[in-house]
Amino acid sequence: MGAPGRVLLWLQLCALTRAAYKFWVPNTDFDAAANWSQNRTPCAGATVEFPADKMVSVLVREGHSISDMLLPLDGEFVLASGAGFSAPDIGSHLDCSTGGPALFRDPDRFCWHDPRLWRSGDAAHGLFSVDAERVPCSHDDVIFPSDASFRVGLGPGAGTVRVRSVRALGQTFTSDEDLADFLASRAGRLRFHGPGTLSVGPEACADQSGCVCGHAEVQPWICAALLQPLGGRCPQAACRDPLRPEGQCCDLCGAIVSLTHGPAFDLQRYRARLLHAFLALPQYQGLQMAVSKVPRQHRLREASGAKADTEIQVVLVETGPETGGAGRLAQALLADIAEHGEALGVLSATARESGAPVGGGSAAGLAGGLAAALLLLLLALLAGALLLRRAGRLRWRRRDEADPAPAGAPVGFHNPVFYAADLAEALPAPQLPAPQLDVWSSSRSYFVNPLFGEAEAEA
């Protein structure tokens, strides 16, 4: 069986044991333009320089003509079939030296804890992972490319990076003893570096309700690596009252549905249900969803009276120009849980939603502005009337003190504005309809418990 066949069989076994797998993305290949300072591979006749104080393994896929090369302190070139280096022709008129030498970028720039450098094997359209879960979790299987060279930094601190298994250079390591021997070898030292320790454990996630990723302690490192290109600061969210899900580095716009569950809950089955029964609908095409088990915050656990220290977090993010879809989908999920929660193993659900987009107007905001303007106008009129009365230019007397009208004078009329009390006594009170309670418009925190819902319906 070839290498692709063995990898496929191994991934199928991972799926049967409910193990997720993560792929390492970047490489240190000679023919990758991103590995060179000018974002292009060296042209014919160029001078090539590698960092003199670095260790690196470089895969060369093609033939290259170079005039000079500065090699690293310690490293290796892995030549694919037909690859190699040659000197340029003496009569060649192509001169690459005017732009300076081609510099190979720092191979130590790739860090294990950077979420941008990993790809999930179970990715699907519309699904994403919170930042902490983009990095391999303790129960994940890790795969490094077998057809590319790579180098990985094991963190800025001397902590232990623990995963279920590691596959590198065609070998799968499931015991610490075998992995330690590999890391101590020259091939391992060329590919893994840093003060951290890489460890493996054979235990997969055996809980059908899912397992917590276990990155609470290293999340500051994850966020620091993720935000390094942005100067270490999160971009401002494009909505009011944004949300920050558990495991996410920055605020986002959308909604979060939190579930408490019983022993019958199946995380994979529920994720598939949301993906195919809801997220596939046309009205939710602009949304992305993340579903995972996360630690329940202590203050939320005390407020809800829940005894469980974990919960299922469903994150709904709006990626398109239209807004409000995340809130509508959250409402639909609450309704679905109220109807089918017992069969799904869901005990209760709460939802939170971010506010309106920043800079966007609304009918409610316009009405509020008009009401404020009218109130200011009324106050100005009252103040003006008081000033005129004090100046003696405006006087009024009570009705019983008014002078009798002269004979033959026309009879005046009653102004209902001044005699509103008399008018209210004369007319019957209007029968107004009872107000309708709109939970979704009066609050941004919602709760539904399908177990209590049936008891209330019988009462």
Side-chain angles (χ1 to χ4, degrees):
M1 183 182 294
R6 290 196 298 269
V7 172
L8 179 60
L9 176 61
W10 184 70
L11 294 180
Q12 290 174 347
L13 293 175
C14 290
L16 292 176
T17 57
R18 293 181 177 271
Y21 47 96
K22 302 277 183 10
F23 290 92
W24 178 256
V25 175
N27 60 65
T28 55
D29 291 0
F30 190 98
D31 302 275
N35 289 328
W36 297 94
S37 58
Q38 298 178 351
N39 287 322
R40 62 178 176 85
T41 55
C43 58
T47 298
V48 176
E49 292 186 8
F50 286 85
D53 57 343
K54 301 294 183 180
M55 298 177 62
V56 64
S57 173
V58 179
L59 173 64
V60 184
R61 301 177 183 273
E62 302 176 359
H64 296 273
S65 175
I66 59 175
S67 61
D68 195 6
M69 179 182 294
L70 178 63
L71 296 177
L73 175 66
D74 189 4
E76 66 179 11
F77 288 107
V78 181
L79 302 180
S81 177
F85 298 100
S86 63
D89 296 335
I90 299 177
S92 175
H93 298 287
L94 181 60
D95 186 10
C96 292
S97 62
T98 56
L103 303 177
F104 195 84
R105 299 183 63 190
D106 183 5
D108 292 351
R109 68 187 185 276
F110 301 121
C111 177
W112 177 287
H113 294 95
D114 192 339
R116 301 169 300 168
L117 307 183
W118 295 97
R119 178 174 59 87
S120 177
D122 57 355
H125 178 71
L127 291 180
F128 77 100
S129 299
V130 293
D131 296 328
E133 296 174 11
R134 293 164 63 185
V135 177
C137 302
S138 58
H139 48 268
D140 288 346
D141 296 295
V142 175
I143 303 177
F144 290 95
S146 58
D147 58 346
S149 54
F150 62 90
R151 185 162 171 82
V152 186
L154 296 177
T160 300
V161 176
R162 186 170 184 83
V163 293
R164 180 176 180 264
S165 68
V166 173
R167 182 172 181 83
L169 301 184
Q171 303 180 68
T172 301
F173 303 98
T174 57
S175 69
D176 279 337
E177 182 179 358
D178 294 339
L179 180 60
D181 291 340
F182 168 72
L183 295 177
S185 67
R186 186 172 186 275
R189 286 185 286 107
L190 286 174
R191 289 163 177 83
F192 295 90
H193 70 98
T197 304
L198 183 58
S199 175
V200 293
E203 300 86 6
C205 178
D207 191 343
Q208 69 175 6
S209 67
C211 296
V212 176
C213 182
H215 277 164
E217 294 183 359
V218 298
Q219 184 166 340
W221 292 356
I222 294 175
C223 294
L226 178 66
L227 300 176
Q228 184 179 7
L230 301 176
R233 304 184 64 180
C234 289
Q236 185 175 3
C239 61
R240 297 180 177 89
D241 302 323
L243 305 173
R244 182 170 298 186
E246 186 72 24
Q248 190 74 5
C249 294
C250 300
D251 296 339
L252 50 79
C253 301
I256 300 176
V257 180
S258 302
L259 315 176
T260 59
H261 62 87
F265 180 79
D266 190 316
L267 180 63
Q268 292 186 1
R269 185 180 67 168
Y270 186 69
R271 183 188 288 116
R273 174 184 178 84
L274 299 187
L275 182 62
H276 298 293
F278 292 94
L279 209 62
L281 298 178
Q283 60 267 36
Y284 302 131
Q285 290 301 300
L287 299 179
Q288 287 190 334
M289 177 178 62
V291 186
S292 61
K293 177 181 283 190
V294 298
R296 182 188 290 268
Q297 297 182 12
H298 182 69
R299 59 181 179 83
L300 296 179
R301 185 164 66 247
E302 289 182 346
S304 61
K307 298 181 180 180
D309 56 357
T310 62
E311 64 183 9
I312 305 302
Q313 177 180 257
V314 182
V315 184
L316 307 172
V317 179
E318 297 174 342
T319 59
E322 298 183 1
T323 59
R328 292 190 297 270
L329 179 53
Q331 184 181 16
L333 296 185
L334 291 182
D336 180 65
I337 292 170
E339 183 176 0
H340 305 289
E342 184 176 0
L344 296 172
V346 179
L347 303 179
S348 64
T350 60
R352 292 179 290 152
E353 181 185 353
S354 61
V358 175
S362 63
L366 181 59
L370 291 176
L374 291 176
L375 179 60
L376 290 176
L377 179 60
L378 179 59
L379 292 176
L381 292 176
L382 291 175
L386 291 175
L387 291 175
L388 291 174
R389 184 175 184 273
R390 291 185 177 182
R393 297 184 180 181
L394 179 64
R395 302 183 63 187
W396 61 79
R397 284 182 283 181
R398 295 172 53 185
R399 183 171 51 180
D400 54 0
E401 297 177 356
D403 295 332
V411 180
F413 66 94
H414 293 291
N415 191 329
V417 174
F418 297 111
Y419 307 113
D422 298 337
L423 186 63
E425 294 176 358
L427 297 178
Q431 298 297 322
L432 298 178
Q436 299 294 324
L437 180 61
D438 187 355
V439 177
W440 282 86
S441 62
S442 61
S443 174
R444 296 196 181 276
S445 181
Y446 328 106
F447 174 82
V448 58
N449 190 327
L451 299 183
F452 296 134
E454 295 181 0
E456 293 176 356
E458 295 176 358

